[in-house]
Amino acid sequence: MAFQLKPNRKESENKTIRFPVELIDRIDKAIVNQDVTFSSFVIQACEYALNDMDTSKNQ
């Protein structure tokens, strides 16, 4: 299934994370004219990656 942006979520906790500048630029370009924040995009991208991650190597 392709990655699809969803509306912002409510419950959250602050975490500090560093991103490469190039990645920040790519994310900023991806969310232009979308009804999504940078944080929401990152959360959704992480959820997508975790849901589609091959966990067979970890067992």
Side-chain angles (χ1 to χ4, degrees), residues 54-59:
D54 182 5
T55 58
S56 62
K57 295 178 186 175
N58 296 334
Q59 296 182 17

mmCIF file of all heavy atoms in Angstrom, residues 54-59:
data_model
loop_
_atom_site.group_PDB
_atom_site.id
_atom_site.type_symbol
_atom_site.label_atom_id
_atom_site.label_comp_id
_atom_site.label_asym_id
_atom_site.label_seq_id
_atom_site.Cartn_x
_atom_site.Cartn_y
_atom_site.Cartn_z
ATOM 1 N N ASP A 54 10.439 -5.582 7.508
ATOM 2 C CA ASP A 54 10.651 -7.028 7.513
ATOM 3 C C ASP A 54 11.228 -7.419 8.872
ATOM 4 O O ASP A 54 12.398 -7.155 9.143
ATOM 5 C CB ASP A 54 11.605 -7.422 6.386
ATOM 6 C CG ASP A 54 11.822 -8.920 6.325
ATOM 7 O OD1 ASP A 54 11.171 -9.677 7.093
ATOM 8 O OD2 ASP A 54 12.643 -9.348 5.493
ATOM 9 N N THR A 55 10.402 -8.005 9.726
ATOM 10 C CA THR A 55 10.850 -8.371 11.070
ATOM 11 C C THR A 55 11.358 -9.800 11.143
ATOM 12 O O THR A 55 11.763 -10.244 12.205
ATOM 13 C CB THR A 55 9.703 -8.170 12.082
ATOM 14 O OG1 THR A 55 8.594 -8.963 11.674
ATOM 15 C CG2 THR A 55 9.316 -6.717 12.199
ATOM 16 N N SER A 56 11.360 -10.523 10.043
ATOM 17 C CA SER A 56 11.795 -11.921 10.057
ATOM 18 C C SER A 56 13.267 -12.049 10.422
ATOM 19 O O SER A 56 13.681 -13.072 10.949
ATOM 20 C CB SER A 56 11.520 -12.583 8.709
ATOM 21 O OG SER A 56 12.263 -11.935 7.692
ATOM 22 N N LYS A 57 14.065 -11.023 10.170
ATOM 23 C CA LYS A 57 15.499 -11.072 10.500
ATOM 24 C C LYS A 57 15.737 -10.912 11.990
ATOM 25 O O LYS A 57 16.786 -11.259 12.500
ATOM 26 C CB LYS A 57 16.243 -9.959 9.736
ATOM 27 C CG LYS A 57 16.220 -10.142 8.250
ATOM 28 C CD LYS A 57 16.927 -8.994 7.582
ATOM 29 C CE LYS A 57 16.785 -9.094 6.073
ATOM 30 N NZ LYS A 57 17.366 -7.939 5.399
ATOM 31 N N ASN A 58 14.746 -10.359 12.711
ATOM 32 C CA ASN A 58 14.904 -10.089 14.132
ATOM 33 C C ASN A 58 14.464 -11.256 15.003
ATOM 34 O O ASN A 58 14.487 -11.164 16.215
ATOM 35 C CB ASN A 58 14.108 -8.832 14.523
ATOM 36 C CG ASN A 58 14.641 -7.589 13.842
ATOM 37 O OD1 ASN A 58 15.802 -7.526 13.485
ATOM 38 N ND2 ASN A 58 13.786 -6.600 13.658
ATOM 39 N N GLN A 59 14.039 -12.324 14.417
ATOM 40 C CA GLN A 59 13.520 -13.453 15.223
ATOM 41 C C GLN A 59 14.394 -14.661 15.137
ATOM 42 O O GLN A 59 15.217 -14.889 14.410
ATOM 43 C CB GLN A 59 12.107 -13.803 14.781
ATOM 44 C CG GLN A 59 11.172 -12.659 15.045
ATOM 45 C CD GLN A 59 9.728 -12.973 14.674
ATOM 46 O OE1 GLN A 59 9.360 -14.129 14.510
ATOM 47 N NE2 GLN A 59 8.931 -11.945 14.528
#
